[in-house]
Amino acid sequence: MKKSKIANFLIGGLFSLGALMFMTSCADITATKISTFEELKNANGSIVLENDIDCEFETIIKPINVTYVNGNNHKIKNLILTNDGVDDPIALFNGSYGNNKATIKDIDFENVTVKSNAQVGASVVAGYGVKQIKNVNVTNSTIETTQACSSGITQNLFPVSVGFIHSGLSRNSNKQYVYSDVKIENCTVKGSSITVKPFEGNKDNSSGKIYAGLIAGLGSASNSHVSSSSLKIESKAYGTDMFAGGIIGKLLGEKLDYCTVRDSEITSYNTNYSSIFTEIHGSTEYVGGIVGVTNEETKSAELSHNEFSNSKIDAVATGVSYVGGIAGTSYASISQSLSRNNEISVRGQMAEKESRGTGGMAGLCSNSSISTSISRDNDFIDDCKTQYGFVGGIAGSLKSSSIVFSAAGNNTFDTKNGETRKDELSPQIENSMSCFVRATE
């Protein structure tokens, strides 16, 4: 009986594996073979690269609509991407409206330039309609985009989502833009930069959201890595919410794990401040070495086995600001993560009574936990004009959260405002606890 069950199990497993290999090979067999830039530019549906493609700095204006892309570990290089209207996202590939099923895999991009003034998304690899992106690498590339604004008496900035692998925006069947949680695995970004430039119009009546990550503006990621790269977002508009992360701007899914950001720089500037705003909410910034903010509604989310090292975060804020080595604000549990040898600074003229938190793991940890993690050799700089500041080696602020089996040590704290509270672990603890935690030399 036992032998029969084992035999059936093995046969079933082999059948499933064979079926998977058959389906994959069928997708490749039926796909259009691409070997030149002209074939790439005019492609659609299911495609497979036959060789490396040097685009010789030609420009593609509209994304290629695909259902399946297999790069066969080939490279696309020397390409320019741009858009022909402010309502168009820009990326090399898009899926179908309301049908997030496309897969993009096993492809390298080198020396790609993206220039956009899109009100929605900008990316090298993918825009909307994509389900999975894996084994994709981007090197020596740039994205430069500018916020767009609605017309009329009250000008409101459109949301912007930017990332080299995926922008984070999708389209439904009504062609309305919605946030998209694409599964990103085994992707890298190296020697590349993203710049989001500010809208220069009526700053006092503007608001908007910027989601920016070197991997994706929004989404989830696993085993993805960033090195020697930079992300800079800037807004001059009052009331803009800014989400910036070395990997992802805002985590939509349940996991962000086994990711690293090394030798990189993240800057988030909001430079609009006026005395008339001293009693009301200014712009909000969530800036993290790995992720800007996690989804508050995803209670089971986890940030685990992540590393932020030898890097720099510089945030200039006019309102609520949370900045951390792993996460700006985390509603997810943080575990087995490392923040080491970084410079993390917060500057600015904030509205009165606006709070800020800066930490090696998280600026704010809310309704969650930090465990088995280490924050060491970091330099924290706080140069803000309001007194509601908290700087901690592990977390700036803990709210209904816990720190367990974690350590912080050899961190430095340069607080220009004498009223800023600082602590090697966390200076603000509300309805929270810590145990088996130590500050080390």
Side-chain angles (χ1 to χ4, degrees), residues 189-275:
V189 171
K190 183 177 181 180
S192 299
S193 66
I194 291 175
T195 303
V196 180
K197 293 184 175 181
F199 170 69
E200 296 287 354
N202 185 348
K203 303 172 183 64
D204 291 349
N205 289 333
S206 300
S207 62
K209 296 181 185 297
I210 300 173
Y211 303 94
L214 287 159
I215 294 292
L218 300 111
S220 304
S222 179
N223 196 31
S224 294
H225 309 283
V226 170
S227 61
S228 304
S229 296
S230 66
L231 167 64
K232 180 179 181 180
I233 63 175
E234 182 179 358
S235 177
K236 295 182 179 179
Y238 171 73
T240 298
D241 293 331
M242 304 166 73
F243 308 83
I247 299 293
I248 288 176
K250 181 176 181 178
L251 176 66
L252 294 181
E254 293 189 350
K255 284 193 176 183
L256 178 53
D257 57 7
Y258 295 95
C259 295
T260 62
V261 175
R262 296 171 180 160
D263 305 303
S264 296
E265 185 170 346
I266 302 165
T267 57
S268 175
Y269 296 164
N270 190 301
T271 54
N272 181 46
Y273 178 83
S274 171
S275 59

Coordinates of all heavy atoms in Angstrom, one line a residue, residues 189-275:
V189 N 19.0 46.2 -10.4 CA 19.3 47.5 -11.0 C 20.7 47.9 -10.6 O 21.0 47.9 -9.4 CB 18.2 48.5 -10.6 CG1 18.6 49.9 -11.0 CG2 16.8 48.1 -11.1
K190 N 21.5 48.3 -11.6 CA 22.9 48.7 -11.2 C 23.3 49.9 -12.0 O 23.0 50.0 -13.2 CB 23.8 47.5 -11.5 CG 25.3 47.7 -11.2 CD 26.1 46.5 -11.4 CE 27.6 46.7 -11.0 NZ 28.4 45.5 -11.3
G191 N 24.0 50.8 -11.4 CA 24.5 52.0 -12.0 C 23.5 52.8 -12.8 O 23.8 53.3 -13.9
S192 N 22.3 53.0 -12.2 CA 21.2 53.7 -12.9 C 20.6 54.7 -12.0 O 20.8 54.7 -10.8 CB 20.2 52.6 -13.3 OG 20.7 51.7 -14.2
S193 N 19.8 55.6 -12.6 CA 19.3 56.7 -11.8 C 17.8 57.1 -12.3 O 17.5 57.0 -13.4 CB 20.1 58.0 -11.9 OG 20.1 58.5 -13.3
I194 N 17.0 57.5 -11.3 CA 15.7 58.0 -11.5 C 15.6 59.4 -11.0 O 16.0 59.6 -9.8 CB 14.6 57.1 -10.8 CG1 14.5 55.7 -11.5 CG2 13.2 57.7 -10.9 CD1 13.6 54.7 -10.8
T195 N 15.0 60.3 -11.8 CA 14.7 61.7 -11.3 C 13.3 62.0 -11.6 O 12.8 61.9 -12.8 CB 15.7 62.7 -12.0 OG1 17.0 62.3 -11.8 CG2 15.4 64.1 -11.5
V196 N 12.5 62.4 -10.6 CA 11.2 62.9 -10.7 C 11.2 64.4 -10.5 O 11.5 64.8 -9.4 CB 10.2 62.2 -9.8 CG1 8.8 62.8 -10.0 CG2 10.2 60.7 -10.0
K197 N 11.0 65.2 -11.5 CA 11.1 66.7 -11.4 C 9.8 67.2 -11.0 O 8.7 66.7 -11.2 CB 11.5 67.3 -12.7 CG 13.0 66.9 -13.1 CD 13.4 67.6 -14.4 CE 14.8 67.3 -14.8 NZ 15.2 68.0 -16.0
P198 N 9.8 68.4 -10.3 CA 8.6 69.0 -9.8 C 7.8 69.7 -10.8 O 8.3 70.2 -11.8 CB 9.1 70.0 -8.7 CG 10.5 70.4 -9.2 CD 11.0 69.2 -9.9
F199 N 6.5 69.8 -10.6 CA 5.6 70.7 -11.3 C 5.9 72.1 -10.9 O 6.1 72.4 -9.8 CB 4.2 70.3 -11.0 CG 3.1 71.3 -11.6 CD1 2.9 71.4 -12.9 CD2 2.4 72.1 -10.7 CE1 2.0 72.2 -13.5 CE2 1.5 73.0 -11.2 CZ 1.3 73.0 -12.6
E200 N 5.9 73.0 -11.9 CA 6.3 74.4 -11.7 C 5.2 75.4 -11.7 O 5.4 76.6 -11.7 CB 7.4 74.8 -12.7 CG 8.7 74.0 -12.7 CD 9.5 74.4 -11.5 OE1 9.2 75.3 -10.8 OE2 10.6 73.7 -11.3
G201 N 3.9 74.9 -11.6 CA 2.8 75.8 -11.7 C 2.3 76.4 -10.4 O 3.1 76.7 -9.5
N202 N 1.0 76.4 -10.2 CA 0.4 76.9 -8.9 C 0.7 76.0 -7.8 O -0.1 75.0 -7.6 CB -1.1 77.2 -9.2 CG -1.7 77.9 -8.0 OD1 -1.1 78.0 -6.9 ND2 -2.9 78.3 -8.2
K203 N 1.7 76.2 -7.0 CA 2.1 75.3 -6.0 C 1.2 75.2 -4.8 O 1.0 74.2 -4.1 CB 3.5 75.6 -5.5 CG 4.5 75.7 -6.7 CD 5.8 76.2 -6.2 CE 6.8 76.3 -7.4 NZ 6.4 77.3 -8.4
D204 N 0.5 76.4 -4.5 CA -0.3 76.4 -3.3 C -1.6 75.6 -3.4 O -2.2 75.2 -2.4 CB -0.6 77.9 -2.9 CG 0.6 78.6 -2.5 OD1 1.7 77.9 -2.3 OD2 0.6 79.8 -2.3
N205 N -2.1 75.4 -4.6 CA -3.4 74.7 -4.8 C -3.2 73.3 -5.3 O -4.1 72.6 -5.6 CB -4.3 75.4 -5.8 CG -4.8 76.7 -5.3 OD1 -5.0 76.9 -4.0 ND2 -5.1 77.7 -6.1
S206 N -1.9 72.8 -5.3 CA -1.7 71.5 -5.9 C -1.5 70.4 -4.8 O -1.2 70.7 -3.7 CB -0.4 71.6 -6.7 OG -0.5 72.5 -7.7
S207 N -1.9 69.2 -5.2 CA -1.6 68.1 -4.3 C -1.4 66.9 -5.3 O -1.7 67.0 -6.5 CB -2.8 67.8 -3.4 OG -4.0 67.5 -4.2
G208 N -0.9 65.8 -4.7 CA -0.7 64.7 -5.6 C 0.1 63.6 -4.8 O 0.4 63.8 -3.6
K209 N 0.4 62.5 -5.5 CA 1.2 61.4 -4.9 C 2.3 61.0 -5.8 O 2.1 60.9 -7.0 CB 0.3 60.2 -4.6 CG -0.8 60.5 -3.5 CD -1.6 59.3 -3.3 CE -2.8 59.6 -2.3 NZ -2.4 60.1 -1.0
I210 N 3.5 60.8 -5.3 CA 4.6 60.2 -6.0 C 5.0 58.9 -5.4 O 5.4 58.9 -4.2 CB 5.8 61.2 -6.0 CG1 5.4 62.6 -6.6 CG2 7.0 60.6 -6.8 CD1 6.5 63.6 -6.5
Y211 N 5.0 57.9 -6.2 CA 5.5 56.5 -5.7 C 6.7 56.2 -6.6 O 6.7 56.1 -7.8 CB 4.4 55.5 -6.0 CG 3.1 55.7 -5.3 CD1 2.1 56.4 -6.0 CD2 2.9 55.3 -4.0 CE1 0.9 56.6 -5.4 CE2 1.7 55.5 -3.4 CZ 0.6 56.2 -4.1 OH -0.6 56.4 -3.5
A212 N 7.9 56.1 -5.9 CA 9.1 55.8 -6.7 C 10.0 54.8 -5.9 O 10.2 54.9 -4.7 CB 9.9 57.2 -6.8
G213 N 10.4 53.8 -6.7 CA 11.4 52.9 -6.2 C 12.3 52.5 -7.3 O 11.9 52.5 -8.5
L214 N 13.5 52.1 -7.0 CA 14.5 51.7 -8.1 C 14.1 50.4 -8.8 O 14.4 50.2 -9.9 CB 15.9 51.7 -7.6 CG 16.5 53.1 -7.3 CD1 17.6 53.0 -6.3 CD2 16.9 53.8 -8.5
I215 N 13.3 49.6 -8.1 CA 12.8 48.4 -8.7 C 11.4 48.7 -9.2 O 11.0 48.5 -10.4 CB 12.7 47.2 -7.7 CG1 14.2 46.7 -7.4 CG2 12.0 46.0 -8.3 CD1 15.0 46.1 -8.5
A216 N 10.5 49.2 -8.3 CA 9.1 49.5 -8.7 C 8.5 50.6 -7.9 O 8.9 50.7 -6.7 CB 8.2 48.2 -8.6
G217 N 7.6 51.4 -8.4 CA 6.9 52.4 -7.7 C 6.0 51.8 -6.6 O 6.0 52.2 -5.5
L218 N 5.2 50.8 -7.1 CA 4.3 50.1 -6.2 C 4.5 48.6 -6.5 O 4.8 48.2 -7.7 CB 2.9 50.5 -6.4 CG 2.5 51.9 -6.1 CD1 2.2 52.7 -7.4 CD2 1.4 52.0 -5.1
G219 N 4.2 47.7 -5.6 CA 4.2 46.3 -5.8 C 4.8 45.5 -4.8 O 4.9 45.9 -3.6
S220 N 5.3 44.3 -5.1 CA 6.0 43.4 -4.2 C 7.3 42.9 -4.9 O 7.4 42.9 -6.1 CB 5.2 42.2 -3.9 OG 3.9 42.6 -3.3
A221 N 8.3 42.5 -4.1 CA 9.5 42.0 -4.7 C 10.2 41.0 -3.8 O 10.0 41.0 -2.6 CB 10.5 43.1 -5.0
S222 N 10.9 40.1 -4.4 CA 11.7 39.1 -3.7 C 13.0 38.9 -4.4 O 13.1 38.8 -5.6 CB 10.9 37.7 -3.7 OG 11.6 36.7 -3.0
N223 N 14.0 38.7 -3.6 CA 15.4 38.4 -4.1 C 15.8 39.4 -5.2 O 16.3 38.9 -6.3 CB 15.5 37.0 -4.6 CG 16.9 36.5 -4.8 OD1 17.8 36.9 -4.0 ND2 17.1 35.6 -5.7
S224 N 15.6 40.6 -5.0 CA 15.9 41.7 -6.0 C 16.9 42.6 -5.4 O 16.9 42.9 -4.2 CB 14.7 42.4 -6.5 OG 13.8 41.5 -7.2
H225 N 17.8 43.2 -6.2 CA 19.0 43.9 -5.7 C 19.3 45.2 -6.5 O 19.2 45.2 -7.7 CB 20.2 43.0 -5.7 CG 19.9 41.6 -5.1 ND1 19.8 41.4 -3.7 CD2 19.6 40.4 -5.6 CE1 19.5 40.2 -3.5 NE2 19.4 39.5 -4.6
V226 N 19.7 46.2 -5.7 CA 20.1 47.5 -6.3 C 21.5 47.8 -5.8 O 21.8 47.7 -4.6 CB 19.1 48.6 -5.8 CG1 19.6 50.0 -6.2 CG2 17.7 48.3 -6.4
S227 N 22.3 48.3 -6.7 CA 23.6 48.8 -6.3 C 24.1 49.9 -7.2 O 23.7 50.1 -8.4 CB 24.6 47.6 -6.5 OG 24.7 47.2 -7.9
S228 N 24.8 50.8 -6.6 CA 25.5 52.0 -7.2 C 24.4 52.8 -8.1 O 24.7 53.1 -9.2 CB 26.6 51.5 -8.1 OG 27.5 50.8 -7.4
S229 N 23.3 53.0 -7.5 CA 22.2 53.7 -8.2 C 21.6 54.8 -7.3 O 21.9 55.0 -6.2 CB 21.1 52.7 -8.6 OG 21.6 51.7 -9.5
S230 N 20.8 55.7 -8.0 CA 20.3 56.8 -7.2 C 18.8 57.1 -7.6 O 18.4 56.8 -8.7 CB 21.1 58.1 -7.5 OG 21.0 58.5 -8.9
L231 N 18.1 57.5 -6.6 CA 16.7 57.9 -6.8 C 16.5 59.3 -6.2 O 16.8 59.5 -5.0 CB 15.8 56.9 -6.1 CG 14.3 57.3 -5.9 CD1 13.6 57.4 -7.2 CD2 13.6 56.2 -5.0
K232 N 15.9 60.2 -7.0 CA 15.7 61.6 -6.5 C 14.3 62.0 -6.9 O 14.0 62.0 -8.1 CB 16.7 62.5 -7.1 CG 16.4 64.0 -6.6 CD 17.5 65.0 -7.1 CE 17.2 66.4 -6.6 NZ 18.2 67.3 -7.1
I233 N 13.4 62.3 -5.9 CA 12.1 62.8 -6.2 C 12.0 64.2 -5.6 O 12.5 64.4 -4.5 CB 11.0 61.9 -5.8 CG1 11.0 61.7 -4.3 CG2 11.1 60.6 -6.5 CD1 9.8 60.9 -3.8
E234 N 11.4 65.1 -6.3 CA 11.2 66.5 -5.8 C 9.9 67.0 -6.1 O 9.3 66.8 -7.2 CB 12.3 67.4 -6.4 CG 12.3 68.8 -5.8 CD 13.3 69.7 -6.4 OE1 14.2 69.2 -7.2 OE2 13.4 70.9 -6.1
S235 N 9.3 67.7 -5.1 CA 8.0 68.4 -5.3 C 8.1 69.8 -4.8 O 8.6 70.0 -3.7 CB 6.9 67.6 -4.7 OG 5.6 68.3 -4.9
K236 N 7.5 70.7 -5.5 CA 7.4 72.1 -5.0 C 5.9 72.4 -4.7 O 5.6 73.6 -4.4 CB 8.0 73.1 -6.0 CG 9.5 72.9 -6.2 CD 10.0 74.0 -7.2 CE 11.5 73.8 -7.3 NZ 12.0 74.8 -8.3
A237 N 5.1 71.4 -4.7 CA 3.6 71.6 -4.5 C 3.2 71.3 -3.1 O 3.6 70.3 -2.5 CB 2.9 70.7 -5.5
Y238 N 2.4 72.2 -2.5 CA 1.9 71.9 -1.2 C 0.9 70.7 -1.2 O 0.1 70.6 -2.1 CB 1.1 73.2 -0.7 CG 0.4 72.9 0.6 CD1 1.1 72.8 1.8 CD2 -1.0 72.8 0.6 CE1 0.4 72.6 3.0 CE2 -1.7 72.5 1.8 CZ -0.9 72.4 2.9 OH -1.6 72.2 4.1
G239 N 1.1 69.9 -0.2 CA 0.2 68.7 0.0 C 0.5 67.5 -0.8 O -0.3 66.6 -0.9
T240 N 1.7 67.4 -1.4 CA 2.1 66.2 -2.1 C 2.6 65.1 -1.1 O 3.4 65.4 -0.3 CB 3.2 66.5 -3.1 OG1 2.7 67.4 -4.1 CG2 3.6 65.2 -3.9
D241 N 2.1 63.9 -1.3 CA 2.5 62.8 -0.5 C 3.6 62.0 -1.3 O 3.3 61.7 -2.5 CB 1.4 61.8 -0.2 CG 0.4 62.5 0.8 OD1 0.8 63.4 1.6 OD2 -0.8 62.1 0.7
M242 N 4.7 61.8 -0.7 CA 5.9 61.2 -1.4 C 6.3 59.9 -0.8 O 6.5 59.8 0.4 CB 7.0 62.2 -1.4 CG 6.6 63.6 -2.0 SD 7.7 65.0 -1.7 CE 9.0 64.5 -2.8
F243 N 6.4 58.9 -1.6 CA 6.7 57.5 -1.1 C 8.0 57.1 -1.9 O 7.9 56.8 -3.1 CB 5.6 56.5 -1.4 CG 4.3 57.0 -0.8 CD1 3.4 57.9 -1.5 CD2 3.8 56.5 0.4 CE1 2.2 58.3 -1.0 CE2 2.6 57.0 0.9 CZ 1.8 57.8 0.2
A244 N 9.1 57.0 -1.2 CA 10.3 56.6 -1.9 C 11.0 55.5 -1.2 O 11.2 55.5 0.0 CB 11.3 57.8 -2.0
G245 N 11.5 54.5 -2.0 CA 12.2 53.3 -1.5 C 13.3 52.8 -2.4 O 13.2 52.9 -3.6
G246 N 14.3 52.3 -1.8 CA 15.4 51.7 -2.6 C 15.0 50.6 -3.5 O 15.4 50.4 -4.6
I247 N 14.0 49.8 -3.0 CA 13.4 48.7 -3.8 C 12.0 49.2 -4.4 O 11.8 49.2 -5.6 CB 13.3 47.4 -3.0 CG1 14.7 47.0 -2.6 CG2 12.6 46.4 -3.8 CD1 15.6 46.5 -3.7
I248 N 11.1 49.5 -3.4 CA 9.7 49.8 -3.8 C 9.3 51.1 -3.0 O 9.6 51.2 -1.8 CB 8.8 48.6 -3.5 CG1 9.1 47.5 -4.6 CG2 7.3 49.0 -3.6 CD1 8.3 46.3 -4.3
G249 N 8.5 51.9 -3.7 CA 8.0 53.1 -3.0 C 6.9 52.7 -2.0 O 7.0 53.1 -0.8
K250 N 5.9 51.9 -2.4 CA 4.9 51.4 -1.5 C 4.7 49.9 -1.7 O 4.4 49.5 -2.9 CB 3.6 52.2 -1.7 CG 2.5 51.7 -0.7 CD 1.2 52.6 -0.8 CE 0.2 52.1 0.2 NZ -1.1 52.9 0.1
L251 N 4.7 49.1 -0.7 CA 4.5 47.7 -0.8 C 3.0 47.5 -0.8 O 2.3 47.9 0.1 CB 5.1 47.0 0.4 CG 4.8 45.5 0.5 CD1 5.5 44.7 -0.6 CD2 5.3 44.9 1.9
L252 N 2.5 46.8 -1.8 CA 1.1 46.5 -2.0 C 0.8 45.1 -1.4 O -0.3 44.8 -0.9 CB 0.6 46.6 -3.4 CG 0.7 48.0 -4.0 CD1 0.2 47.9 -5.5 CD2 -0.1 49.0 -3.2
G253 N 1.7 44.2 -1.6 CA 1.4 42.8 -1.3 C 1.8 42.4 0.1 O 2.0 43.3 1.0
E254 N 2.1 41.1 0.4 CA 2.3 40.6 1.7 C 3.8 40.5 2.0 O 4.2 40.3 3.2 CB 1.6 39.3 1.9 CG 0.1 39.4 1.9 CD -0.6 38.1 2.4 OE1 0.1 37.1 2.5 OE2 -1.8 38.2 2.6
K255 N 4.7 40.4 1.0 CA 6.1 40.1 1.2 C 7.0 41.0 0.4 O 6.8 41.3 -0.8 CB 6.4 38.7 1.0 CG 5.9 37.7 2.1 CD 6.5 36.3 1.9 CE 6.0 35.4 3.1 NZ 6.7 34.1 3.0
L256 N 8.1 41.4 1.1 CA 9.2 42.1 0.5 C 10.4 41.5 1.2 O 10.8 41.8 2.3 CB 9.1 43.6 0.7 CG 10.3 44.4 0.1 CD1 10.5 44.1 -1.4 CD2 10.0 45.9 0.3
D257 N 11.1 40.5 0.5 CA 12.1 39.8 1.2 C 13.4 39.5 0.4 O 13.3 39.5 -0.8 CB 11.6 38.5 1.8 CG 10.9 37.6 0.8 OD1 11.0 37.9 -0.4 OD2 10.3 36.5 1.2
Y258 N 14.5 39.2 1.1 CA 15.8 38.9 0.5 C 16.2 39.9 -0.6 O 16.7 39.6 -1.7 CB 15.7 37.5 -0.2 CG 15.5 36.4 0.8 CD1 14.2 35.9 1.1 CD2 16.5 35.8 1.5 CE1 14.0 34.9 2.1 CE2 16.3 34.8 2.5 CZ 15.0 34.4 2.8 OH 14.8 33.4 3.7
C259 N 16.0 41.2 -0.3 CA 16.4 42.3 -1.1 C 17.5 43.1 -0.5 O 17.6 43.2 0.7 CB 15.2 43.2 -1.4 SG 13.9 42.4 -2.3
T260 N 18.4 43.6 -1.4 CA 19.5 44.5 -0.9 C 19.6 45.8 -1.7 O 19.3 45.8 -2.9 CB 20.8 43.7 -1.0 OG1 21.1 43.5 -2.4 CG2 20.8 42.4 -0.2
V261 N 20.0 46.8 -1.0 CA 20.3 48.1 -1.6 C 21.7 48.5 -1.0 O 21.8 48.6 0.2 CB 19.3 49.2 -1.3 CG1 19.7 50.5 -1.8 CG2 17.9 48.8 -1.8
R262 N 22.7 48.6 -1.9 CA 24.0 48.9 -1.5 C 24.6 50.0 -2.3 O 24.3 50.1 -3.5 CB 24.9 47.7 -1.6 CG 24.5 46.5 -0.7 CD 25.2 45.2 -1.0 NE 24.8 44.1 -0.1 CZ 25.0 42.9 -0.4 NH1 25.6 42.5 -1.5 NH2 24.6 41.9 0.5
D263 N 25.4 50.9 -1.7 CA 26.2 51.9 -2.4 C 25.3 52.8 -3.3 O 25.6 53.1 -4.4 CB 27.3 51.3 -3.3 CG 28.2 50.4 -2.5 OD1 28.8 50.8 -1.5 OD2 28.3 49.2 -2.8
S264 N 24.1 53.2 -2.7 CA 23.2 53.9 -3.5 C 22.7 55.1 -2.7 O 23.0 55.3 -1.5 CB 22.0 53.0 -3.8 OG 22.4 52.0 -4.7
E265 N 21.9 56.0 -3.3 CA 21.5 57.2 -2.7 C 20.0 57.5 -3.0 O 19.6 57.4 -4.2 CB 22.3 58.4 -3.2 CG 22.0 59.7 -2.5 CD 23.0 60.8 -2.8 OE1 24.1 60.5 -3.3 OE2 22.7 62.0 -2.5
I266 N 19.2 57.9 -2.0 CA 17.8 58.2 -2.1 C 17.6 59.5 -1.6 O 17.9 59.8 -0.4 CB 17.0 57.1 -1.3 CG1 17.2 55.7 -1.8 CG2 15.5 57.5 -1.5 CD1 16.7 54.7 -0.9
T267 N 17.0 60.4 -2.4 CA 16.7 61.8 -1.9 C 15.3 62.1 -2.2 O 14.7 61.8 -3.3 CB 17.6 62.8 -2.6 OG1 17.4 62.7 -4.1 CG2 19.1 62.6 -2.3
S268 N 14.6 62.7 -1.3 CA 13.2 63.1 -1.4 C 13.1 64.5 -0.9 O 13.2 64.8 0.3 CB 12.3 62.2 -0.5 OG 11.0 62.6 -0.6
Y269 N 12.8 65.5 -1.8 CA 12.7 66.9 -1.4 C 11.3 67.4 -1.6 O 10.8 67.3 -2.7 CB 13.7 67.7 -2.3 CG 15.2 67.4 -2.1 CD1 16.1 67.8 -3.1 CD2 15.6 66.7 -1.0 CE1 17.5 67.5 -2.9 CE2 17.0 66.4 -0.9 CZ 17.9 66.8 -1.8 OH 19.2 66.6 -1.7
N270 N 10.8 68.1 -0.6 CA 9.6 68.9 -0.8 C 10.0 70.3 -0.3 O 10.3 70.5 0.9 CB 8.4 68.4 -0.1 CG 7.2 69.2 -0.5 OD1 7.1 70.4 -0.4 ND2 6.2 68.5 -1.1
T271 N 10.2 71.2 -1.2 CA 10.8 72.5 -0.8 C 9.8 73.6 -0.8 O 10.1 74.8 -0.7 CB 11.8 72.9 -1.9 OG1 11.3 72.8 -3.2 CG2 13.0 71.9 -1.8
N272 N 8.5 73.3 -0.8 CA 7.5 74.4 -0.7 C 7.1 74.6 0.8 O 6.5 73.7 1.4 CB 6.2 74.0 -1.5 CG 5.2 75.1 -1.4 OD1 5.5 76.3 -1.5 ND2 3.9 74.8 -1.1
Y273 N 7.4 75.7 1.3 CA 7.0 76.0 2.7 C 6.6 77.5 2.8 O 7.3 78.4 2.2 CB 8.1 75.8 3.7 CG 7.7 76.2 5.1 CD1 7.0 75.3 5.9 CD2 8.1 77.4 5.6 CE1 6.6 75.6 7.2 CE2 7.7 77.8 6.9 CZ 6.9 76.9 7.7 OH 6.5 77.2 8.9
S274 N 5.5 77.8 3.5 CA 5.1 79.2 3.7 C 4.6 79.3 5.1 O 4.0 78.3 5.6 CB 4.1 79.6 2.7 OG 3.5 80.8 3.0
S275 N 4.7 80.5 5.7 CA 4.2 80.7 7.0 C 2.7 80.5 7.2 O 2.2 80.2 8.2 CB 4.6 82.0 7.5 OG 4.0 83.0 6.7

